[in-house]
Each structure stands twice: as structure tokens, then as C-alpha cells.
């Protein structure tokens, strides 16, 4: 007898439907799985056989053939276990009557089986649940730990189960169950900031850098901090998420989709409600940062989607890592090409980097002399290429904190106070770009720059002067103009004024060291 069961799988960041065809027929006992299964899928034969027996059900002593269609796409993972087990039970007449065939055709099954028949959580449920309605599937049966994630979109009825035995009893009407329902707004209300305890008020002094971070947060601009060891670069960077605008639901779902694929969703949290802050070590490989591998997976730039990617000690990262950042910074997407195919991953992240001005770290320091030769400084700064710097909107010098600042008893501005200004500026941008399909000034293209970055005459003259004196590229010119637009938004100004251009030019900190490059 033949049974056809609906299931899903992932290809890169996208999901697709898989038809699990199970045939049980007379012949020499065998259990074959075809349809380009990987090792984990092939091993489901032993998991399914043992789980069925340990659930008090009968495993047939016959020839079983399982086909995973489409047969020309590689199948990965253990999420087909439940679908295969259900197919075996249907094909042997243990599970369903003819009148339930229509119900079976509108139900998809996901889940990994333990040997005792219990169900274990699987990855990628959110992207897989998204495609079900368009394929005529109204019900999703999956492990209980995945139920809330599967119900986030509210497009299908989601049934979370603990075991194969519980599923059989529920399907046959012996055990009533209620579909899972998730209150998404409650998840946002209950969210606590991951960086709990971090606050901008902890940082003494550094007013220029704090202002640059406020501008970066308001316009989603990339930021590079250059300063001596101990000046507070890392401390400041780790507090940037505390002043970023709150996530919207569409942004949250995009992030959750990526984390679900990677199996990084926190236990008991079906939805990511905080902006990611990813800080890979400088020994990280290009594949781990950008994405890829033999079986391509999202990298750190995708895990930082709609959040922050912090690269501490930027010149110490491998050249392949540094230069491979250029494309996602520009296109907001990463394309990984392999023999098996091409995968696209979202990578709309905000880059924040920190570095020393020289190998010893004290070039330009007011208290400690630099021991590096000009050649050493030039080689060190040359590790950060011009094309990469062009893509970093704000470049600031972080000075050593003075004793007077450390001993100041007045509490600096808190993250909440700065965030209020950031949110006000971001609301201006959301209204401005309502019809443009972008959300922040940093995302503007050339046509949008001409439309929304209208300058006063003296501001335009100052920009022309800065362009010539700083020898800016066309890309750096556009990014400087975007920063000026954000500064104007923070000031509540309709037109970009000369003061806004002047402040934007001030955040070209690496020009101070240009004689070494």
C-alpha cells in the first residue's frame, strides 16, 4: 500500500515542500530511502523502526520504500522522521481510515524521533511554516518545543506533540488537543534587553564618540573607532544596542528566520525580539563570518541582520574576511555559490569596528609616545583598504579619558535619553521613506539622495570644498551626505545646513593618519 505524506525541507535560507512517498509491499524485508538523502536522512530508518516498536505499534516485516520528492534536490537533517513514521503507519493501515485521507492531504509533518518514540525539536520551522498555505496545507504537526515558532505567523493550525504515541492517540480521537496560539505582542512586552545592565551612563567623557554613536544609531550608519588601548572603544561598542531603535515585527521575523535555520533560537523563545549584537573573534575564518561551507550556512553577517556586527581589532582579521565584507555592506545580501547551487542570505547589518592607530597602539596619544616606525604604521593602517573605508560612514578618533572626566560626579546621559532622540529621528525617516521600501538614511540610493538630501547653498559649497580637500571618492561623498541628512534629522531640520555638513566631515577621523598610508 502507498501513503503520501507532506513535509518540508530547507535549501539555503528558503523552504520547499517535500512529498514523502511510503510504499509497503510483499517481498524480502528491506527499508530503503531514495531521493538524494544525506547521512542523517538515511539513518532515520533505524530511528523510525525502533520508535514505532517502542511506541507499542507494529513495524511491518515487509519491503518498505520511501521516496523524498523532488528527487533531484539534496535532503538534509532529521526532520523527516515523523513524516516517514506516519507514512509507514498509514501504509500498513494502523493509523487512518479512508475518510481521513483529505485531512492527511492538508497536514504537514516535521520532527525528529528518539528511539523511545518521543519527538525532538528541529531547525528552520519558521521558514517552512511560511510556505504551507500557498501549498494547500492547513495543519502542521511538529514537536512541542517547536510549536510556538510554527504558530508565529498564524497562517496554519499548529499541533505540538510530545511523542509518536501521543500523535496516534490524537489522530484517532482518543486524546483531545488544542492548537498552539502565540501572542506575539506579549513576547515583545516581556522582552528584556540582552545587554541588561549596560548603559551609556557608565561611560565617562567621550562626548564626541557618544555623539557619533547616536548618529550611527539614528541613521543606521557604519562606524569605525580608532584609539589607543584602554580608551574605551569596546566598552562603547557594546553599549550601542542600548540606543538602537526597537525592533519591528517584520524585522524580528526576518532575524528569527535566520536563527531558526542555524538552530540558534534560545530555549523557550520562539521569536527574536532584540537586535542582534555579533562580535566574532579576529581569528574567525571568512566562511564563518560571511557564510558558506561544504553545506552552506549563514555566517556572522547574516546572524547580525537588522543588528550590529562588531569587529574588534579590525586589522587583525584576515584579509579575506575584511575584503569580503565589501559586497554585503553595499548590497545587504550575501550570495554563496557552490556546486550544489546558489544560496542568498540576508545581511543588512550595521558594521561597528575598532582598531588601534598603529601596532603599539599609541600613535597620537597625549601621554605615551609611539614606538613604531612610519613604515610599520603604514603597513598596519594599510590592512584596512580604501574600498572598505569608503563603506564606513563614521570614522572617529577615541581619545584617552582624562582624570577629570573619570572623577566627575555628574552622571552622564543614560541610554534611555539618547534612545529617545534616536527614535524621534528614525520616525522622521520612516515617514520620509514610507513609499521607498527603505527604513533609514544609510539605505538611500543615488536617486533618493537627490530627492531627500536638499542642501542650503552654503552647505553645498562646504561639501564641495571637503570633497576636494579630503580627496573623497563618489561613494564616500554619498555616505558623507547621508550622515549629514541624519544629523539634520536629529536637529529636526528640513534642509541640510552648513553646520550639518561640517559635523559630518568631522567624522572622517582616519584623515589624521593619511600621511602614513
Amino acid at each position: 500500500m502507498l501513503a503520501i505524506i507532506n513535509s518540508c525541507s530547507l535549501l539555503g535560507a528558503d523552504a520547499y515542500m517535500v512529498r514523502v512517498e511510503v510504499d509497503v509491499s510483499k517481498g524480502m524485508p528491506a527499508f530503503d530511502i531514495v531521493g538524494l538523502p544525506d547521512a542523517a536522512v538515511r539513518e532515520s530508518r533505524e530511528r523510525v523502526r525502533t520508535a514505532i516498536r517502542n511506541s507499542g505499534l507494529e513495524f511491518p516485516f515487509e519491503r518498505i520504500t520511501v521516496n523524498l520528492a523532488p528527487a533531484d534536490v539534496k535532503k538534509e537533517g532529521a526532520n523527516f522522521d515523523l513524516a516517514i513514521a506516519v507514512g509507514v503507519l498509514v501504509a500498513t493501515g494502523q493509523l487512518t481510515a479512508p475518510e481521513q485521507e483529505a485531512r492527511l492531504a492538508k497536514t504537514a509533518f516535521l520532527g525528529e524521533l528518539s528511539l523511545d518514540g518521543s519527538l525532538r525539536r528541529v531547525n528552520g520551522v519558521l521558514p517552512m511554516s511560511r510556505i504551507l498555505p500557498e501549498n494547500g496545507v492547513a495543519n502542521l504537526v511538529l514537536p512541542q518545543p517547536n510549536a510556538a515558532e510554527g504558530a508565529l505567523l498564524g497562517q496554519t493550525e499548529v499541533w505540538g506533540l510530545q511523542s509518536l504515541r501521543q500523535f496516534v492517540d490524537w489522530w484517532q480521537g482518543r486524546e483531545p488537543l488544542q492548537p498552539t496560539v502565540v501572542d506575539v505582542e506579549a513576547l515583545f512586552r516581556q522582552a528584556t534587553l540582552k545587554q541588561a545592565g549596560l548603559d551609556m551612563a557608565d561611560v565617562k567623557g567621550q562626548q564626541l564618540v557618544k555623539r557619533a554613536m547616536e548618529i550611527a544609531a539614528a541613521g543606521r550608519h557604519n562606524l569605525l573607532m580608532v584609539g589607543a588601548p584602554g580608551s574605551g572603544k569596546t566598552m562603547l561598542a557594546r553599549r550601542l544596542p542600548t540606543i538602537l531603535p526597537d525592533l519591528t515585527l517584520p524585522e524580528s521575523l526576518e532575524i528569527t528566520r535566520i536563527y531558526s535555520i542555524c538552530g540558534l533560537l534560545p530555549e523557550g523563545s520562539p521569536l527574536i525580539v532584540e537586535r542582534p549584537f555579533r562580535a566574532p573573534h579576529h581569528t574567525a575564518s571568512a566562511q564563518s563570518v560571511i557564510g558558506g561551507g561544504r553545506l552552506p550556512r549563514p555566517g556572522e553577517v547574516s546572524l547580525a541582520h537588522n543588528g550590529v556586527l562588531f569587529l574588534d581589532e579590525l586589522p587583525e582579521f584576515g584579509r579575506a574576511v575584511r575584503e569580503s565584507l565589501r559586497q554585503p555592506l553595499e548590497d545587504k545580501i550575501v550570495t554563496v555559490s557552490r556546486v550544489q547551487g546558489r544560496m542568498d542570505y540576508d545581511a543588512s547589518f550595521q558594521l561597528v569596528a575598532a582598531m588601534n592607530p598603529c601596532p603599539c597602539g599609541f600613535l597620537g596619544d597625549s601621554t605615551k609616545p609611539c614606538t613604531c616606525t612610519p613604515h610599520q604604521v603604514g603597513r598596519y593602517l594599510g590592512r584596512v583598504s580604501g574600498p572598505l573605508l569608503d563603506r564606513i560612514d563614521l570614522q572617529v578618533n577615541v581619545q584617552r579619558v582624562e582624570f577629570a572626566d573619570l572623577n566627575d560626579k555628574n552622571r552622564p546621559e543614560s541610554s534611555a535619553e539618547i534612545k529617545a532622540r534616536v527614535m524621534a529621528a528614525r520616525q522622521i525617516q520612516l515617514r520620509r521613506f514610507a513609499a521607498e521600501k527603505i527604513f533609514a538614511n544609510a539605505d538611500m540610493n543615488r536617486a533618493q539622495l537627490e530627492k531627500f538630501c536638499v542642501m542650503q547653498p552654503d552647505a553645498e559649497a562646504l561639501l564641495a570644498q571637503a570633497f576636494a580637500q579630503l580627496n573623497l571618492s563618489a561613494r564616500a561623498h554619498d555616505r558623507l551626505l547621508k550622515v549629514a541628512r541624519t544629523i539634520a534629522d536629529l536637529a529636526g531640520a528640513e534642509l541640510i545646513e552648513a553646520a550639518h555638513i561640517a559635523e559630518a566631515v568631522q567624522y572622517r577621523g582616519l584623515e589624521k593618519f593619511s600621511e602614513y598610508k
Side-chain angles (χ1 to χ4, degrees), residues 323-483:
E323 297 308 308
S324 58
L325 289 172
R326 289 157 53 178
Q327 183 257 337
L329 281 172
E330 199 73 23
D331 299 337
K332 312 297 184 186
I333 196 169
V334 166
T335 300
V336 179
S337 296
R338 293 292 184 269
V339 173
Q340 297 92 337
R342 166 180 146 165
M343 289 79 171
D344 293 330
Y345 300 113
D346 292 331
S348 181
F349 61 94
Q350 189 172 352
L351 176 65
V352 177
M355 61 179 285
N356 296 331
C358 65
C360 79
F362 296 102
L363 178 64
D365 189 72
S366 58
T367 61
K368 191 170 183 179
C370 174
T371 60
C372 306
T373 65
H375 176 67
Q376 289 174 320
V377 175
R379 285 188 61 186
Y380 183 78
L381 294 178
R383 294 181 187 177
V384 184
S385 65
L388 179 57
L389 281 177
D390 262 359
R391 291 164 168 82
I392 300 178
D393 309 4
L394 301 162
Q395 305 160 15
V396 294
N397 295 311
V398 184
Q399 299 297 326
R400 183 185 296 272
V401 181
E402 302 294 338
F403 176 79
D405 291 325
L406 289 174
N407 203 41
D408 188 357
K409 303 303 181 184
N410 296 320
R411 185 169 173 80
E413 272 191 313
S414 67
S415 293
E417 294 172 289
I418 301 173
K419 184 175 180 176
R421 296 195 295 269
V422 168
M423 291 291 290
R426 188 62 69 91
Q427 288 301 317
I428 293 173
Q429 295 168 56
L430 291 175
R431 290 193 295 270
R432 175 187 300 136
F433 302 132
E436 301 290 334
K437 296 183 180 180
I438 61 174
F439 304 100
N441 289 331
D443 300 325
M444 285 190 287
N445 57 31
R446 186 62 204 170
Q448 291 162 342
L449 278 174
E450 295 176 357
K451 181 178 179 181
F452 298 116
C453 295
V454 181
M455 292 178 283
Q456 293 183 348
D458 56 344
E460 194 166 353
L462 182 59
L463 180 60
Q465 182 182 353
F467 182 82
Q469 290 184 355
L470 297 180
N471 196 25
L472 299 178
S473 66
R475 181 185 289 112
H477 165 275
D478 290 351
R479 290 186 175 270
L480 191 150
L481 195 54
K482 294 174 185 179
V483 172

Side-chain angles (χ1 to χ4, degrees), residues 81-230:
D81 287 5
L82 179 58
I84 293 173
V86 171
V88 170
L89 296 176
V90 172
T92 55
Q94 299 180 67
L95 188 62
T96 185
E99 60 269 15
Q100 291 182 318
E101 290 181 1
R103 179 188 177 194
L104 192 66
K106 293 185 177 181
T107 304
F109 297 85
L110 297 171
E112 176 185 344
L113 283 171
S114 298
L115 296 185
D116 62 357
S118 60
L119 289 169
R120 290 179 174 170
R121 67 180 301 157
V122 293
N123 299 334
V125 168
L126 181 59
M128 288 189 279
S129 66
R130 187 188 296 270
I131 67 168
L132 297 180
E134 63 195 59
N135 288 279
V137 176
N139 302 288
L140 176 60
V141 177
L142 74 177
Q144 181 62 45
N146 289 120
E149 181 187 348
L152 281 175
L153 300 177
Q155 298 176 334
T156 57
E157 286 199 334
V158 176
W159 308 88
L161 298 158
Q162 299 286 350
S163 65
L164 180 61
R165 180 76 253 180
Q166 184 187 24
F167 163 72
V168 172
D169 292 339
W170 166 70
W171 188 264
Q172 294 179 337
R174 292 193 295 268
E175 181 177 340
L177 288 176
Q178 294 297 321
T180 302
V181 178
V182 176
D183 185 348
V184 176
E185 293 183 359
L187 293 176
F188 276 95
R189 289 195 301 269
Q190 296 167 4
T192 56
L193 196 63
K194 184 184 294 185
Q195 296 81 13
L198 299 182
D199 197 290
M200 280 293 187
D202 302 333
V203 183
K204 299 284 189 176
Q206 304 293 12
Q207 296 306 315
L208 175 64
V209 188
K210 288 181 180 179
R211 171 64 174 173
M213 293 180 70
E214 180 179 337
I215 296 168
R220 223 170 69 86
H221 301 291
N222 302 319
L223 172 67
L224 173 62
M225 294 179 285
V226 184

Side-chain angles (χ1 to χ4, degrees), residues 21-41:
E21 302 168 344
V22 181
D23 180 74
V24 179
S25 58
K26 301 294 183 182
M28 289 291 293
F31 195 166
D32 297 318
I33 300 179
V34 298
L36 288 184
D38 71 350
V41 179

